Amino acid sequence: MDLFSDEYTDGNALAGPLRELFTVDMTSAVGRCVSCGGEGPVAGMKVYAQAPGLVARCPSCQEVLMRLVRGPSDAWLDLRGTMSLRIPMPPE
Amino acid sequence: MKLPPGQYLTEDFPVLTAGPTPRVPTDTWEFVVVTEAGEKHRWSWAELMALPSEQPTVDLHCVTKWSKLGTSWQGVSLDVLLDGVDTAADYVMVHSYGGYTTNLPFEDLRNGQAWIAYRFDGEDLHPEHGGPARLLVPHLYLWKSAKWVRGLRLTDEDEPGFWESAGYHDYGDPWREQRYQGD
Ligand SMILES: [Zn+2]
């Protein structure tokens, strides 16, 4: 059944906005979904960008993993849908 | 012509969405109001259609800075829907099919300020624009006019909705340019 239409881009749309906040490339970070437990790279998230902010959803269960709102002098990053983010680091 | 501060005029109707567009068949659609005492009031699509409707012409102001003036809608005033609802709630959480939420003071839904709208520009409301029915509360930024509206939860305490909990203003008055928290 055609329950949903989908107009989204992949998580590479988050590369620039997240680079503003973090000093590492976040698109290869691996997130775990609070809702379904699924794991995947940020680049694999479904990103809805035609909105007041960026909304990244789980490719498995469609729940919201990340909300990123950029105001003129603040950014808000809501990660309550993400249990953890595993971020590749340069070797110590 | 007067626009709220920081807004520009557009003739088209941009589609903003925070997720997949729900396709809600009207034969299973329902609108539910839950009071702070837990009392539920339900309307089926047929029951909504049987209520007296209004045809407001209103200006829309999106927080992403476009404004669209003189838009024509048809819908049922919240005054009609809330008429038999026994409540002293101060706040409302609006819930949508697809999981979206937005919060506003209860009084902003009363006195001819808000509708459950199901027709736009003389046609059934397209799912892209929130059909089969959306909340229309045009005196606030458009993110408060929840698409695919499913119900209202009336509450004593204010709680932040989908965008209000991620940096956007709790109230969202375009004329006071209340875009972000702290504005
Ligand atoms: Zn998931």
Side-chain angles (χ1 to χ4, degrees):
Chain A
M1 188 171 66
D2 179 27
L3 195 63
F4 295 111
S5 77
D6 271 319
E7 289 142 42
Y8 60 88
T9 55
D10 70 31
N12 289 302
L14 294 166
L18 286 175
R19 195 171 293 126
E20 267 198 302
L21 311 183
F22 298 97
T23 54
V24 295
D25 173 20
M26 291 295 289
T27 54
S28 57
V30 173
R32 184 185 286 275
C33 174
V34 166
S35 171
C36 73
E39 267 190 322
V42 168
M45 293 177 180
K46 288 181 167 181
V47 176
Y48 291 82
Q50 302 302 311
L54 291 167
V55 180
R57 290 179 178 267
C58 175
S60 305
C61 74
Q62 320 296 329
E63 284 296 322
V64 177
L65 295 171
M66 191 185 289
R67 267 169 280 211
L68 178 53
V69 169
R70 182 67 160 93
S73 53
D74 299 275
W76 285 265
L77 180 63
D78 182 326
L79 282 168
R80 85 185 81 169
T82 300
M83 201 181 296
S84 61
L85 269 178
R86 178 176 167 181
I87 304 160
M89 301 296 284
E92 279 188 302
Chain B
M1 181 193 69
K2 197 163 164 250
L3 286 176
Q7 297 291 110
Y8 68 86
L9 193 61
T10 184
E11 296 299 327
D12 57 4
F13 195 168
V15 173
L16 268 69
T17 179
T21 299
R23 308 278 165 178
V24 190
T26 51
D27 54 353
T28 56
W29 183 92
E30 63 172 9
F31 180 69
V32 182
V33 174
V34 184
T35 71
E36 70 275 28
E39 208 174 77
K40 287 186 180 170
H41 301 259
R42 288 173 196 275
W43 292 264
S44 67
W45 187 257
E47 287 165 338
L48 183 78
M49 292 301 112
L51 293 172
S53 69
E54 296 177 1
Q55 298 192 11
T57 296
V58 299
D59 301 336
L60 306 178
H61 307 296
C62 181
V63 74
T64 62
K65 300 196 170 177
W66 57 265
S67 288
K68 184 173 172 64
L69 305 183
T71 61
S72 317
W73 299 81
Q74 183 178 348
V76 176
S77 168
L78 261 298
D79 292 318
V80 172
L81 290 158
L82 295 170
D83 188 38
V85 175
D86 182 23
T87 180
D90 289 323
Y91 299 97
V92 179
M93 185 67 85
V94 185
H95 291 262
S96 293
Y97 289 93
Y100 183 77
T101 56
T102 187
N103 59 299
L104 65 170
F106 185 63
E107 64 177 16
D108 285 81
L109 293 182
R110 305 303 302 266
N111 301 311
Q113 296 186 93
W115 297 265
I116 300 299
Y118 49 81
R119 286 174 76 80
F120 168 70
D121 226 359
E123 294 184 21
D124 290 346
L125 188 57
H126 191 275
E128 276 189 340
H129 290 303
R134 75 181 295 165
L135 179 65
L136 181 63
V137 52
H139 69 286
L140 301 176
Y141 280 125
L142 198 56
W143 90 76
K144 299 283 185 180
S145 292
K147 296 176 175 185
W148 317 296
V149 68
R150 177 177 209 164
L152 311 176
R153 182 171 288 274
L154 312 184
T155 58
D156 294 323
E157 307 287 333
D158 191 21
E159 289 168 49
F162 187 93
W163 287 121
E164 294 86 356
S165 62
Y168 279 97
H169 197 275
D170 197 60
Y171 184 63
D173 179 352
W175 297 97
R176 287 185 278 168
E177 205 168 2
Q178 293 173 334
R179 298 181 196 276
Y180 301 100
Q181 288 169 22
D183 284 352

